[in-house]
Amino acid sequence: MLILGIDTSCDDTSASVVEDGGRIISNIVSSQSDIHAKYGGIVPELASRRHIEMVIPVVDEALKKAGVSLREIAAVAVCHGPGLIGSLLIGCSFAKALCYSAKVPLVAVNHLEGHILSPFLAPPVPEFPFLSLVVSGGHTSLYAVEGFGNYHELGRTRDDAAGEAYDKVSKLLGLGYPGGPVIDRLAQEGDGRAIDFPRAYLPETFDFSFSGLKTAVLNFLRSRLGDNKPASTLDKGMIGNIAASFQRAVVDVLVRKTEWAIKKKRIKRVALSGGVAANSELRKRMKEMGAERDVKVFVPPVDLCTDNAAMIAAAGYRHFIGGDLAGPDLNPRAYLPL
Ligand code: KG4
Ligand code: ZN
């Protein structure tokens, strides 16, 4: 059974054809990084406009690459939140019109459920129950996943998401948007123990906090540069050390909190997802922790960690076979609980 997934929740336009909720036939992602890079973050209005331009070509390409026509698609699954409302509106309006004109059923998918189910798109797939750490630009949450559609949020960030902290620190360092990949790369040339940035462990909770860490980087830069000099005047070695020390603080917290959840919930399977799960140090450290504690760690390929429509199609398949369809009255929501 083929599902066409569509995701326009943030700054990537994506469409994908997935078979039986697990086998990717095509997965097209059109990135907008080039548009937003010079602003140091996403400009929502520009994101919406680019989605309008790209949604038809991206869906066409996903179908073409899969070698299928709309008639062979069992249902269209579209992400209806959470995300940027203007961006979500493009994907939802398009999907509703497509389903109406082609007489194909429509399914609505929560973006976070898509991330949680992304490990099912590449073997080995996790068995239930497993812990899911969703770390992206908009979210940092830890879930106990008991089954499809059965997700218990154990904790979440109380302020910035981990990816947001990466993007803000990148902006402070004058490194552009998105910050994750560039900091990840620069950190490999730096010393993660050079600067002792704070870690908010928030004991006895599964919650996270990253805004203090971001402020600590800002204060460190001010102490080095004063109020006027730009970060570009720092030498390369220092930038590498800041990137590596910041990254080490983020990864320490994510790994430690996950370890605590493993212990408390007695669940010996962990899956990572979301854009920050593309981070090389997080992937490495989480796998090392798993090997030490005899815990199975599932880390999807990098292109399935960052936003993609294959994960929306995978989640949409479960809704479709469960009879959970959406209608022409579907409205996207910027804040949409799981
Ligand atoms: O899941 P995602 O593509 O979009 C959201 O739903 O937010 O995540 C995007 C976030 C951005 O903040 C980006 O800087 C971060 O993921 N990111 C990374 C890496 N690649 C992307 N963060 C750390 N290391 C990376 N390699
Ligand atoms: Zn996402």
Side-chain angles (χ1 to χ4, degrees), residues 111 115 136 307:
H111 187 78
H115 276 306
S136 71
D307 284 352

Side-chain angles (χ1 to χ4, degrees), residues 112-304:
L112 294 168
E113 183 178 24
H115 276 306
I116 289 172
L117 298 187
S118 59
F120 289 90
L121 289 163
V125 304
E127 283 165 39
F128 300 114
F130 64 91
L131 293 168
S132 172
L133 178 67
V134 180
V135 264
S136 71
H139 301 88
T140 298
S141 295
L142 197 50
Y143 299 90
V145 180
E146 308 284 349
F148 293 113
N150 196 346
Y151 318 116
H152 302 283
E153 192 184 66
L154 304 175
R156 60 160 67 192
T157 182
R158 294 184 184 174
D159 40 58
D160 291 353
E164 195 180 348
Y166 266 96
D167 295 334
K168 286 178 177 170
V169 165
S170 175
K171 194 172 178 181
L172 292 175
L173 291 171
L175 300 173
Y177 175 86
V182 58
I183 291 185
D184 192 353
R185 199 179 65 243
L186 291 172
Q188 284 164 29
E189 290 146 33
D191 174 6
R193 294 177 205 269
I195 308 154
D196 187 21
F197 288 129
R199 283 116 172 104
Y201 285 114
L202 308 179
E204 303 301 315
T205 74
F206 297 111
D207 284 349
F208 302 90
S209 166
F210 293 103
S211 75
L213 172 59
K214 169 198 68 192
T215 308
V217 175
L218 174 65
N219 290 340
F220 179 83
L221 287 173
R222 282 211 180 117
S223 73
R224 291 284 162 143
L225 296 165
D227 284 334
N228 296 322
K229 273 201 270 171
S232 56
T233 58
L234 290 170
D235 70 66
K236 231 180 129 215
M238 175 54 85
I239 298 227
N241 285 348
I242 296 170
S245 301
F246 162 77
Q247 177 156 290
R248 195 178 166 84
V250 173
V251 172
D252 277 355
V253 171
L254 293 174
V255 173
R256 177 87 72 88
K257 300 294 289 193
T258 306
E259 270 183 298
W260 200 63
I262 290 165
K263 212 168 130 194
K264 282 277 165 193
K265 297 287 159 190
R266 297 166 195 264
I267 297 177
K268 297 210 110 193
R269 281 178 287 268
V270 172
L272 298 187
S273 60
V276 183
N279 184 264
S280 58
E281 188 172 340
L282 178 62
R283 297 166 80 88
K284 179 170 145 261
R285 294 266 308 277
M286 205 61 96
K287 283 180 195 159
E288 285 168 3
M289 181 277 289
E292 264 168 40
R293 293 187 167 273
D294 194 24
V295 166
K296 274 198 178 165
V297 178
F298 299 85
V299 189
V302 165
D303 56 342
L304 296 178

